[in-house]
């Protein structure tokens, strides 16, 4: 988990939070750094997408405490089409709540 956390920290600091000419010299995500340093990002690591999906279905998440929850799992456990379909289904489910 430390490697994942460290890699995310570097990505947020060096990529998402730095001025980018594509965005008129604004950061790609101007809120990422503050959310990260304010402990508003939760990182959850799983052995597979099935484990992550199960966790999504059975838990209620406190978005007052964490503005962002990152679900990490090996990319070899799912293909992009599956991931897109799962996200669409989750959005439909959450929109009904």
């Amino acid at each position: 988990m430390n490697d994942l956390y460290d890699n995310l920290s570097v990505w947020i600091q060096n990529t998402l939070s730095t001025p980018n000419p594509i965005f008129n010299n604004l950061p790609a995500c101007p809120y990422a750094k503050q959310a990260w340093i304010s402990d508003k990002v939760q990182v959850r690591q799983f052995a597979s997408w099935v484990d992550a999906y199960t966790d999504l279905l059975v838990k209620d998440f406190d978005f007052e405490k964490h503005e962002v929850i990152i679900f990490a799992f090996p990319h070899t456990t799912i293909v992009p089409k599956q991931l897109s379909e799962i996200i669409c289904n989750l959005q439909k489910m959450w929109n009904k709540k």
Side-chain angles (χ1 to χ4, degrees):
M1 176 76 125
N2 284 342
D3 285 345
L4 173 62
Y5 193 86
D6 292 342
N7 287 338
L8 284 168
S9 183
V10 167
W11 177 63
I12 288 167
Q13 300 290 331
N14 296 340
T15 303
L16 292 183
S17 302
T18 58
N20 187 318
I22 293 172
F23 302 114
N24 199 24
N25 288 323
L26 296 172
C29 185
Y31 307 104
K33 184 177 180 180
Q34 187 60 43
W36 188 258
I37 61 176
S38 299
D39 201 29
K40 293 288 189 177
V41 179
Q42 182 183 33
V43 180
R44 302 176 59 79
Q45 191 167 16
F46 300 91
S48 73
W49 73 269
V50 174
D51 296 337
Y53 187 67
T54 302
D55 194 64
L56 275 167
L57 293 176
V58 299
K59 290 204 172 160
D60 283 327
F61 296 99
D62 183 0
F63 287 104
E64 295 295 321
K65 184 175 180 184
H66 295 107
E67 295 172 4
V68 176
I69 302 173
I70 296 172
F71 285 77
F73 48 87
H75 67 87
T76 56
T77 65
I78 193 168
V79 296
K81 187 175 191 296
Q82 275 181 301
L83 183 58
S84 293
E85 289 170 357
I86 289 168
I87 291 169
C88 286
N89 290 336
L90 287 169
Q91 286 175 329
K92 288 176 189 172
M93 181 183 76
W94 287 332
N95 285 338
K96 291 179 182 177
K97 287 186 176 186

XYZ file of all heavy atoms in Angstrom:
804
model
N 0.824 -1.195 0.000
C 0.000 0.000 0.000
C 0.866 1.256 0.000
O 0.483 2.252 -0.603
C -0.951 -0.020 1.198
C -1.779 1.227 1.332
S -3.143 1.340 0.189
C -4.467 1.568 1.302
N 2.016 1.205 0.651
C 2.875 2.389 0.686
C 3.301 2.825 -0.704
O 3.352 4.020 -0.992
C 4.091 2.156 1.574
C 3.730 2.222 3.047
O 2.692 2.748 3.414
N 4.574 1.665 3.882
N 3.657 1.865 -1.578
C 4.052 2.217 -2.939
C 2.908 2.917 -3.669
O 3.121 3.926 -4.341
C 4.479 0.983 -3.737
C 5.858 0.474 -3.340
O 6.599 1.213 -2.673
O 6.175 -0.655 -3.711
N 1.717 2.383 -3.543
C 0.555 2.985 -4.188
C 0.336 4.395 -3.651
O 0.167 5.350 -4.415
C -0.695 2.126 -3.962
C -2.018 2.723 -4.437
C -2.014 2.961 -5.935
C -3.168 1.827 -4.029
N 0.336 4.533 -2.353
C 0.118 5.835 -1.717
C 1.194 6.830 -2.142
O 0.897 7.969 -2.503
C 0.098 5.659 -0.197
C -0.428 6.848 0.540
C -1.792 7.011 0.754
C 0.431 7.830 1.026
C -2.280 8.115 1.439
C -0.056 8.935 1.709
C -1.412 9.066 1.909
O -1.896 10.158 2.579
N 2.443 6.392 -2.122
C 3.554 7.264 -2.537
C 3.435 7.662 -4.000
O 3.655 8.821 -4.357
C 4.903 6.583 -2.289
C 5.209 6.420 -0.806
O 4.575 7.102 0.032
O 6.080 5.588 -0.487
N 3.092 6.708 -4.854
C 2.931 7.007 -6.283
C 1.782 7.984 -6.524
O 1.895 8.893 -7.357
C 2.710 5.731 -7.088
C 3.962 4.904 -7.222
O 5.085 5.398 -7.094
N 3.789 3.623 -7.468
N 0.683 7.813 -5.810
C -0.434 8.745 -5.937
C -0.031 10.142 -5.469
O -0.375 11.147 -6.101
C -1.645 8.255 -5.147
C -2.429 7.121 -5.766
C -3.414 6.535 -4.759
C -3.153 7.581 -7.016
N 0.705 10.213 -4.387
C 1.159 11.496 -3.864
C 2.032 12.235 -4.882
O 1.842 13.425 -5.147
C 1.920 11.293 -2.559
O 2.298 12.530 -2.010
N 2.964 11.519 -5.481
C 3.845 12.117 -6.493
C 3.020 12.561 -7.702
O 3.216 13.665 -8.231
C 4.957 11.123 -6.903
C 5.685 11.588 -8.150
C 5.930 10.910 -5.756
N 2.085 11.742 -8.158
C 1.242 12.071 -9.306
C 0.406 13.326 -9.035
O 0.292 14.215 -9.880
C 0.352 10.874 -9.635
C -0.614 11.079 -10.748
C -0.337 11.340 -12.060
C -2.037 11.016 -10.654
N -1.502 11.441 -12.788
C -2.557 11.242 -11.944
C -2.922 10.775 -9.607
C -3.926 11.243 -12.206
C -4.276 10.776 -9.869
C -4.762 11.009 -11.160
N -0.153 13.409 -7.833
C -0.953 14.579 -7.476
C -0.079 15.832 -7.438
O -0.445 16.874 -7.986
C -1.678 14.357 -6.132
C -2.810 13.346 -6.326
C -2.213 15.670 -5.564
C -3.403 12.810 -5.049
N 1.087 15.716 -6.809
C 1.983 16.876 -6.680
C 2.580 17.305 -8.016
O 2.617 18.493 -8.328
C 3.131 16.547 -5.702
C 2.693 16.192 -4.307
C 2.126 17.372 -3.536
O 2.487 18.521 -3.754
N 1.213 17.087 -2.627
N 3.048 16.338 -8.801
C 3.818 16.660 -9.999
C 3.020 16.731 -11.296
O 3.499 17.295 -12.274
C 4.952 15.647 -10.189
C 5.952 15.704 -9.057
O 6.043 16.678 -8.328
N 6.699 14.639 -8.897
N 1.827 16.162 -11.312
C 1.045 16.147 -12.543
C -0.267 16.917 -12.397
O -0.515 17.873 -13.129
C 0.762 14.703 -12.987
O 2.011 14.021 -13.131
C 0.015 14.662 -14.309
N -1.087 16.501 -11.460
C -2.408 17.116 -11.335
C -2.373 18.545 -10.816
O -3.254 19.341 -11.113
C -3.297 16.281 -10.405
C -3.727 14.916 -10.912
C -4.661 14.267 -9.905
C -4.385 15.012 -12.264
N -1.347 18.876 -10.024
C -1.323 20.174 -9.344
C -0.388 21.199 -9.966
O -0.259 22.303 -9.443
C -0.947 19.962 -7.876
O -1.857 19.088 -7.264
N 0.258 20.862 -11.045
C 1.190 21.802 -11.676
C 0.531 22.464 -12.878
O -0.307 21.860 -13.553
C 2.489 21.098 -12.116
O 2.162 20.044 -13.012
C 3.240 20.538 -10.923
N 0.908 23.710 -13.160
C 0.343 24.388 -14.332
C 0.599 23.596 -15.615
O 1.675 23.036 -15.803
C 1.094 25.720 -14.357
C 1.524 25.934 -12.950
C 1.818 24.561 -12.408
N -0.417 23.566 -16.447
C -0.348 22.792 -17.676
C -0.789 23.678 -18.844
O -1.881 24.245 -18.803
C -1.262 21.570 -17.551
C -1.139 20.619 -18.696
O -1.052 21.029 -19.849
N -1.171 19.341 -18.399
N 0.046 23.799 -19.881
C -0.322 24.666 -21.005
C -1.617 24.248 -21.703
O -2.332 25.084 -22.264
C 0.869 24.569 -21.949
C 1.691 23.435 -21.491
C 1.340 23.171 -20.062
N -1.961 22.977 -21.633
C -3.214 22.506 -22.250
C -4.425 23.152 -21.577
O -5.444 23.393 -22.206
C -3.298 20.960 -22.183
C -2.227 20.351 -23.067
C -4.676 20.463 -22.580
C -2.087 18.857 -22.931
N -4.277 23.471 -20.293
C -5.379 24.061 -19.520
C -5.120 25.550 -19.253
O -5.455 26.057 -18.177
C -5.581 23.302 -18.213
C -5.872 21.850 -18.399
C -4.975 20.888 -17.966
C -7.040 21.435 -19.014
C -5.238 19.539 -18.138
C -7.310 20.081 -19.191
C -6.407 19.135 -18.761
N -4.515 26.224 -20.219
C -4.228 27.657 -20.087
C -3.360 27.939 -18.847
O -3.587 28.884 -18.116
C -5.524 28.471 -20.053
C -5.298 29.920 -20.383
O -4.327 30.280 -21.045
N -6.201 30.759 -19.928
N -2.395 27.065 -18.628
C -1.451 27.140 -17.509
C -2.107 27.000 -16.137
O -1.551 27.431 -15.131
C -0.576 28.390 -17.583
C 0.439 28.255 -18.693
O 0.971 27.177 -18.928
N 0.701 29.337 -19.386
N -3.262 26.391 -16.089
C -3.895 26.021 -14.822
C -3.602 24.549 -14.575
O -3.340 23.789 -15.503
C -5.404 26.241 -14.889
C -5.858 27.682 -15.074
C -7.359 27.721 -15.329
C -5.496 28.498 -13.849
N -3.658 24.108 -13.321
C -3.457 22.680 -13.057
C -4.609 21.846 -13.619
O -5.744 22.326 -13.716
C -3.423 22.580 -11.537
C -3.571 23.940 -11.008
C -3.838 24.883 -12.119
N -4.313 20.611 -13.955
C -5.354 19.700 -14.459
C -6.470 19.537 -13.436
O -7.649 19.480 -13.778
C -4.749 18.351 -14.814
N -6.096 19.455 -12.173
C -7.087 19.367 -11.096
C -6.641 20.295 -9.967
O -5.852 19.911 -9.106
C -7.225 17.934 -10.597
S -8.534 17.786 -9.368
N -7.160 21.511 -9.932
C -6.701 22.480 -8.938
C -7.068 22.123 -7.496
O -6.520 22.693 -6.563
C -7.374 23.783 -9.371
C -8.521 23.378 -10.211
C -8.157 22.060 -10.834
N -7.949 21.164 -7.305
C -8.387 20.796 -5.958
C -7.670 19.571 -5.404
O -7.771 19.268 -4.217
C -9.896 20.546 -5.942
C -10.674 21.699 -6.515
C -11.225 21.631 -7.779
C -10.822 22.874 -5.793
C -11.925 22.704 -8.313
C -11.516 23.952 -6.311
C -12.069 23.857 -7.579
O -12.741 24.921 -8.097
N -6.966 18.848 -6.242
C -6.369 17.570 -5.841
C -5.363 17.724 -4.706
O -5.406 16.976 -3.722
C -5.706 16.892 -7.040
N -4.463 18.662 -4.829
C -3.409 18.819 -3.819
C -4.001 19.146 -2.454
O -3.618 18.548 -1.448
C -2.432 19.906 -4.255
C -1.262 20.077 -3.328
C -0.294 21.121 -3.873
C 0.889 21.320 -2.968
N 1.811 22.337 -3.504
N -4.935 20.082 -2.406
C -5.535 20.450 -1.122
C -6.324 19.290 -0.516
O -6.256 19.046 0.680
C -6.430 21.681 -1.276
C -6.950 22.211 0.054
C -5.844 22.625 1.014
O -4.879 23.260 0.629
N -5.985 22.249 2.272
N -7.062 18.569 -1.342
C -7.801 17.400 -0.844
C -6.838 16.363 -0.280
O -7.087 15.766 0.774
C -8.656 16.795 -1.956
N -5.715 16.164 -0.964
C -4.727 15.173 -0.535
C -4.110 15.568 0.804
O -4.047 14.763 1.721
C -3.656 15.013 -1.618
C -2.697 13.900 -1.378
C -1.414 14.014 -0.902
C -2.902 12.505 -1.588
N -0.829 12.785 -0.820
C -1.718 11.834 -1.237
C -3.981 11.759 -2.053
C -1.574 10.458 -1.332
C -3.840 10.386 -2.144
C -2.655 9.742 -1.782
N -3.645 16.811 0.919
C -2.965 17.221 2.155
C -3.943 17.431 3.308
O -3.547 17.392 4.471
C -2.064 18.464 1.954
C -2.858 19.674 1.508
C -0.946 18.172 0.993
C -2.028 20.945 1.386
N -5.226 17.608 2.995
C -6.252 17.763 4.037
C -6.860 16.430 4.454
O -7.859 16.406 5.177
C -7.362 18.691 3.546
O -6.857 19.957 3.251
N -6.288 15.347 3.973
C -6.754 13.994 4.292
C -8.210 13.778 3.877
O -8.979 13.123 4.569
C -6.559 13.695 5.777
C -6.538 12.213 6.077
O -6.129 11.430 5.190
O -6.946 11.823 7.189
N -8.582 14.349 2.721
C -9.924 14.177 2.179
C -9.975 13.091 1.109
O -10.996 12.902 0.467
C -10.434 15.501 1.591
C -10.661 16.585 2.615
C -11.870 16.256 3.435
C -12.273 17.402 4.319
N -13.491 17.104 5.063
N -8.842 12.406 0.910
C -8.755 11.331 -0.079
C -8.500 10.030 0.662
O -7.571 9.932 1.463
C -7.616 11.582 -1.098
C -7.535 10.437 -2.099
C -7.814 12.914 -1.811
N -9.327 9.053 0.405
C -9.133 7.722 0.975
C -8.676 6.787 -0.143
O -9.268 6.790 -1.226
C -10.428 7.203 1.595
C -10.280 5.842 2.235
C -11.598 5.318 2.785
O -12.663 5.581 2.250
N -11.523 4.566 3.855
N -7.642 6.017 0.132
C -7.127 5.052 -0.843
C -7.421 3.652 -0.318
O -7.047 3.302 0.795
C -5.605 5.237 -1.063
C -5.094 4.224 -2.073
C -5.290 6.662 -1.499
N -8.122 2.883 -1.151
C -8.471 1.512 -0.780
C -7.891 0.587 -1.842
O -8.118 0.780 -3.020
C -9.990 1.366 -0.687
C -10.597 2.348 0.318
C -12.090 2.294 0.360
N -12.607 0.997 0.713
C -12.670 0.495 1.952
N -12.252 1.205 2.961
N -13.172 -0.693 2.164
N -7.139 -0.407 -1.402
C -6.475 -1.322 -2.330
C -7.083 -2.711 -2.209
O -7.341 -3.200 -1.104
C -4.979 -1.370 -2.022
C -4.171 -2.070 -3.075
C -2.680 -1.837 -2.900
O -2.224 -1.405 -1.859
N -1.915 -2.131 -3.928
N -7.308 -3.336 -3.381
C -7.958 -4.638 -3.438
C -7.162 -5.593 -4.316
O -6.416 -5.168 -5.201
C -9.381 -4.498 -4.006
C -10.258 -3.613 -3.186
C -10.338 -2.246 -3.450
C -10.980 -4.125 -2.135
C -11.133 -1.421 -2.687
C -11.789 -3.297 -1.357
C -11.864 -1.948 -1.636
N -7.381 -6.883 -4.105
C -6.689 -7.906 -4.898
C -7.277 -8.019 -6.300
O -6.589 -8.436 -7.231
C -6.758 -9.260 -4.196
N -8.553 -7.644 -6.459
C -9.194 -7.744 -7.772
C -10.342 -6.740 -7.853
O -10.789 -6.204 -6.840
C -9.736 -9.159 -8.009
O -10.895 -9.372 -7.221
N -10.852 -6.550 -9.057
C -11.981 -5.643 -9.240
C -13.230 -6.211 -8.573
O -14.091 -5.456 -8.121
C -12.224 -5.347 -10.719
C -12.836 -6.488 -11.490
C -12.185 -7.467 -12.151
C -14.229 -6.753 -11.652
N -13.069 -8.337 -12.724
C -14.356 -7.918 -12.430
C -15.390 -6.123 -11.212
C -15.576 -8.460 -12.780
C -16.615 -6.669 -11.562
C -16.703 -7.829 -12.335
N -13.330 -7.515 -8.476
C -14.497 -8.134 -7.833
C -14.538 -7.732 -6.356
O -15.597 -7.382 -5.823
C -14.472 -9.672 -7.996
C -15.595 -10.322 -7.212
C -14.550 -10.056 -9.469
N -13.389 -7.757 -5.707
C -13.322 -7.346 -4.298
C -13.701 -5.870 -4.145
O -14.437 -5.499 -3.228
C -11.920 -7.570 -3.738
C -11.522 -9.030 -3.708
O -12.410 -9.914 -3.688
O -10.303 -9.306 -3.714
N -13.205 -5.041 -5.040
C -13.514 -3.607 -4.987
C -15.005 -3.377 -5.227
O -15.650 -2.589 -4.520
C -12.682 -2.854 -6.017
N -15.558 -4.057 -6.211
C -16.979 -3.909 -6.547
C -17.860 -4.354 -5.386
O -18.835 -3.692 -5.029
C -17.288 -4.706 -7.811
C -18.671 -4.497 -8.358
C -19.048 -3.269 -8.887
C -19.609 -5.518 -8.356
C -20.324 -3.069 -9.400
C -20.877 -5.326 -8.869
C -21.222 -4.100 -9.386
O -22.479 -3.900 -9.889
N -17.501 -5.457 -4.765
C -18.247 -5.946 -3.602
C -18.226 -4.905 -2.491
O -19.254 -4.623 -1.869
C -17.654 -7.281 -3.110
O -17.706 -8.228 -4.178
C -18.399 -7.811 -1.911
N -17.062 -4.313 -2.259
C -16.934 -3.281 -1.237
C -17.831 -2.079 -1.569
O -18.483 -1.524 -0.685
C -15.466 -2.850 -1.128
C -15.182 -2.054 0.119
O -15.322 -2.622 1.226
O -14.813 -0.871 -0.006
N -17.876 -1.704 -2.830
C -18.726 -0.588 -3.261
C -20.202 -0.860 -2.991
O -20.953 0.032 -2.615
C -18.551 -0.339 -4.761
C -17.399 0.533 -5.185
C -17.178 0.412 -6.683
C -17.653 1.969 -4.806
N -20.603 -2.097 -3.195
C -22.016 -2.445 -3.051
C -22.471 -2.543 -1.605
O -23.637 -2.288 -1.304
C -22.311 -3.768 -3.764
C -22.187 -3.736 -5.287
C -22.420 -5.128 -5.849
C -23.147 -2.735 -5.904
N -21.578 -2.921 -0.703
C -22.003 -3.196 0.669
C -21.731 -2.067 1.651
O -22.230 -2.103 2.769
C -21.379 -4.504 1.212
C -21.790 -5.697 0.377
C -19.868 -4.403 1.306
N -20.989 -1.052 1.260
C -20.643 0.011 2.203
C -21.340 1.312 1.865
O -21.576 1.635 0.714
C -19.132 0.250 2.193
C -18.371 -0.882 2.813
C -17.049 -0.421 3.304
C -16.447 -1.571 4.079
N -15.084 -1.510 4.254
N -21.635 2.057 2.919
C -22.048 3.448 2.762
C -20.816 4.290 3.045
O -20.144 4.090 4.061
C -23.153 3.809 3.760
C -24.492 3.258 3.342
O -24.739 3.174 2.124
O -25.294 2.913 4.231
N -20.520 5.206 2.165
C -19.316 6.005 2.306
C -19.653 7.393 2.833
O -20.659 7.983 2.456
C -18.582 6.101 0.964
C -18.092 4.762 0.500
C -18.795 4.036 -0.437
C -16.935 4.215 1.026
C -18.355 2.799 -0.851
C -16.485 2.980 0.621
C -17.197 2.266 -0.320
N -18.808 7.883 3.715
C -18.987 9.196 4.320
C -18.245 10.226 3.479
O -17.045 10.438 3.643
C -18.448 9.181 5.751
C -18.653 10.490 6.466
O -19.212 11.433 5.858
O -18.261 10.586 7.646
N -18.973 10.885 2.565
C -18.345 11.865 1.690
C -18.170 13.217 2.372
O -17.653 14.143 1.776
C -19.098 11.982 0.368
C -18.890 10.785 -0.516
C -19.880 9.830 -0.662
C -17.691 10.593 -1.173
C -19.686 8.714 -1.466
C -17.480 9.482 -1.977
C -18.480 8.548 -2.107
N -18.593 13.328 3.620
C -18.255 14.516 4.403
C -16.810 14.393 4.888
O -16.086 15.375 4.936
C -19.195 14.656 5.600
C -20.635 14.905 5.224
C -20.834 16.242 4.530
O -20.186 17.230 4.921
O -21.641 16.304 3.581
N -16.423 13.179 5.212
C -15.057 12.934 5.700
C -14.062 12.820 4.549
O -12.967 13.359 4.618
C -15.035 11.656 6.543
C -13.700 11.365 7.165
C -13.752 10.167 8.082
C -12.380 9.927 8.687
N -12.354 8.742 9.511
N -14.432 12.100 3.502
C -13.561 11.914 2.344
C -14.286 12.390 1.093
O -15.352 11.882 0.754
C -13.177 10.432 2.187
C -12.356 9.925 3.302
N -12.856 9.067 4.253
C -11.069 10.159 3.648
C -11.913 8.788 5.132
N -10.820 9.450 4.786
N -13.681 13.353 0.396
C -14.275 13.859 -0.837
C -14.005 12.934 -2.014
O -14.746 12.917 -2.984
C -13.713 15.252 -1.147
C -14.099 16.288 -0.117
C -13.397 17.609 -0.321
O -12.651 17.765 -1.304
O -13.601 18.496 0.519
N -12.912 12.164 -1.909
C -12.497 11.260 -2.981
C -12.140 9.919 -2.366
O -11.445 9.863 -1.351
C -11.270 11.809 -3.745
C -10.787 10.822 -4.790
C -11.567 13.162 -4.357
N -12.622 8.856 -2.970
C -12.218 7.511 -2.564
C -11.662 6.817 -3.799
O -12.347 6.690 -4.809
C -13.387 6.700 -1.968
C -13.973 7.444 -0.766
C -12.909 5.303 -1.570
C -15.223 6.831 -0.203
N -10.396 6.410 -3.703
C -9.730 5.750 -4.823
C -9.757 4.244 -4.568
O -9.297 3.776 -3.528
C -8.271 6.243 -4.960
C -8.259 7.726 -5.293
C -7.530 5.421 -6.016
C -6.891 8.368 -5.278
N -10.321 3.521 -5.512
C -10.349 2.063 -5.457
C -9.268 1.553 -6.396
O -9.352 1.758 -7.603
C -11.713 1.529 -5.890
C -12.776 1.717 -4.856
C -13.357 2.958 -4.656
C -13.177 0.661 -4.072
C -14.325 3.142 -3.694
C -14.150 0.826 -3.100
C -14.719 2.075 -2.909
N -8.264 0.900 -5.838
C -7.137 0.422 -6.642
C -7.124 -1.102 -6.656
O -7.320 -1.745 -5.625
C -5.830 0.945 -6.070
N -6.905 -1.635 -7.842
C -6.783 -3.083 -8.009
C -5.961 -3.325 -9.260
O -5.836 -2.443 -10.113
C -8.165 -3.758 -8.098
C -9.109 -3.093 -9.047
C -9.111 -3.423 -10.399
C -10.000 -2.142 -8.599
C -9.985 -2.812 -11.276
C -10.882 -1.512 -9.479
C -10.871 -1.859 -10.818
N -5.378 -4.512 -9.387
C -4.535 -4.784 -10.561
C -5.316 -4.637 -11.867
O -6.428 -5.157 -12.002
C -4.089 -6.233 -10.360
C -4.235 -6.483 -8.898
C -5.396 -5.642 -8.456
N -4.750 -3.915 -12.807
C -5.420 -3.680 -14.090
C -5.608 -4.969 -14.882
O -6.453 -5.034 -15.770
C -4.651 -2.657 -14.925
C -3.314 -3.132 -15.382
N -3.141 -3.845 -16.537
C -2.094 -3.003 -14.817
C -1.855 -4.136 -16.683
N -1.199 -3.637 -15.645
N -4.872 -5.983 -14.530
C -4.990 -7.258 -15.248
C -6.230 -8.041 -14.843
O -6.523 -9.071 -15.441
C -3.741 -8.125 -15.001
O -3.581 -8.295 -13.587
C -2.498 -7.477 -15.594
N -6.969 -7.561 -13.838
C -8.152 -8.294 -13.381
C -9.438 -7.847 -14.063
O -10.499 -8.388 -13.778
C -8.322 -8.186 -11.850
O -8.595 -6.827 -11.500
C -7.092 -8.695 -11.121
N -9.345 -6.863 -14.974
C -10.545 -6.361 -15.643
C -10.138 -5.731 -16.979
O -9.030 -5.222 -17.114
C -11.282 -5.328 -14.754
C -12.684 -5.029 -15.286
C -10.447 -4.093 -14.550
C -13.541 -4.246 -14.311
N -11.049 -5.779 -17.933
C -10.796 -5.107 -19.211
C -11.562 -3.774 -19.201
O -12.559 -3.627 -18.490
C -11.203 -5.977 -20.426
C -10.352 -7.242 -20.490
C -12.672 -6.329 -20.398
N -11.122 -2.797 -19.987
C -11.749 -1.473 -19.962
C -13.261 -1.490 -20.198
O -13.994 -0.751 -19.541
C -11.018 -0.720 -21.077
C -9.676 -1.365 -21.129
C -9.930 -2.821 -20.837
N -13.734 -2.332 -21.099
C -15.184 -2.391 -21.380
C -15.953 -2.806 -20.120
O -17.005 -2.226 -19.816
C -15.459 -3.361 -22.520
C -16.905 -3.369 -22.988
C -17.064 -4.267 -24.197
C -18.356 -4.161 -24.884
N -19.549 -4.486 -24.356
N -15.443 -3.790 -19.398
C -16.091 -4.212 -18.153
C -16.138 -3.063 -17.159
O -17.161 -2.830 -16.513
C -15.304 -5.352 -17.496
C -15.607 -6.736 -17.964
C -14.740 -7.720 -17.189
O -13.515 -7.640 -17.231
N -15.367 -8.625 -16.491
N -15.020 -2.372 -17.006
C -14.944 -1.274 -16.058
C -15.957 -0.183 -16.415
O -16.670 0.320 -15.544
C -13.530 -0.699 -16.015
C -13.285 0.406 -15.000
C -13.592 -0.051 -13.587
C -11.837 0.886 -15.106
N -16.054 0.159 -17.680
C -17.020 1.173 -18.121
C -18.448 0.746 -17.809
O -19.268 1.549 -17.342
C -16.877 1.425 -19.620
O -15.657 2.026 -19.904
N -18.769 -0.508 -18.058
C -20.120 -1.016 -17.786
C -20.429 -0.983 -16.290
O -21.533 -0.608 -15.885
C -20.270 -2.431 -18.329
C -20.309 -2.486 -19.842
C -20.226 -3.898 -20.412
O -20.080 -4.873 -19.639
O -20.297 -4.025 -21.650
N -19.457 -1.353 -15.474
C -19.653 -1.340 -14.019
C -19.894 0.083 -13.529
O -20.789 0.339 -12.720
C -18.447 -1.981 -13.311
C -18.456 -3.491 -13.561
C -18.453 -1.685 -11.821
C -17.180 -4.189 -13.168
N -19.118 1.027 -14.038
C -19.284 2.422 -13.631
C -20.664 2.931 -14.025
O -21.345 3.592 -13.229
C -18.153 3.294 -14.212
C -16.835 2.931 -13.533
C -18.477 4.780 -14.066
C -15.611 3.509 -14.184
N -21.104 2.623 -15.224
C -22.451 3.026 -15.663
C -23.523 2.443 -14.747
O -24.469 3.144 -14.351
C -22.702 2.599 -17.099
S -21.836 3.591 -18.307
N -23.396 1.178 -14.401
C -24.364 0.536 -13.515
C -24.363 1.161 -12.123
O -25.421 1.365 -11.517
C -24.104 -0.967 -13.424
C -24.446 -1.689 -14.700
O -25.262 -1.228 -15.496
N -23.804 -2.825 -14.928
N -23.164 1.463 -11.604
C -23.080 2.099 -10.292
C -23.711 3.489 -10.307
O -24.420 3.866 -9.371
C -21.622 2.189 -9.831
C -20.988 0.873 -9.388
C -19.483 1.029 -9.221
C -21.625 0.375 -8.100
N -23.484 4.242 -11.372
C -24.089 5.573 -11.468
C -25.600 5.487 -11.470
O -26.280 6.267 -10.806
C -23.591 6.290 -12.731
C -22.168 6.761 -12.611
C -21.641 7.362 -13.910
O -22.051 6.961 -14.994
N -20.718 8.292 -13.788
N -26.147 4.531 -12.199
C -27.610 4.343 -12.222
C -28.108 4.004 -10.815
O -29.139 4.523 -10.368
C -27.987 3.247 -13.203
C -27.827 3.648 -14.651
C -28.122 2.475 -15.575
C -27.763 2.807 -16.999
N -27.857 1.626 -17.891
N -27.390 3.120 -10.130
C -27.794 2.702 -8.792
C -27.743 3.877 -7.834
O -28.682 4.114 -7.065
C -26.882 1.576 -8.313
C -27.215 1.047 -6.934
S -26.072 -0.218 -6.375
C -24.646 0.772 -5.943
N -26.661 4.666 -7.863
C -26.515 5.785 -6.941
C -27.490 6.912 -7.245
O -27.923 7.616 -6.346
C -25.080 6.305 -6.944
C -24.138 5.378 -6.245
C -24.416 4.515 -5.230
C -22.744 5.202 -6.512
N -23.292 3.824 -4.852
C -22.251 4.229 -5.622
C -21.865 5.779 -7.427
C -20.932 3.831 -5.602
C -20.549 5.381 -7.414
C -20.088 4.423 -6.501
N -27.852 7.087 -8.506
C -28.815 8.119 -8.865
C -30.193 7.828 -8.313
O -30.992 8.732 -8.131
C -28.879 8.315 -10.382
C -27.688 9.055 -10.915
O -26.996 9.777 -10.199
N -27.395 8.863 -12.182
N -30.484 6.566 -8.047
C -31.785 6.178 -7.491
C -31.866 6.420 -5.998
O -32.936 6.432 -5.429
C -32.073 4.701 -7.786
C -32.334 4.433 -9.243
C -32.599 2.970 -9.486
C -32.801 2.711 -10.972
N -32.985 1.282 -11.255
N -30.708 6.585 -5.346
C -30.703 6.800 -3.881
C -31.090 8.200 -3.517
O -30.934 9.126 -4.185
C -29.315 6.491 -3.308
C -29.021 5.006 -3.282
C -27.716 4.757 -2.577
C -27.465 3.266 -2.449
N -26.314 2.976 -1.679
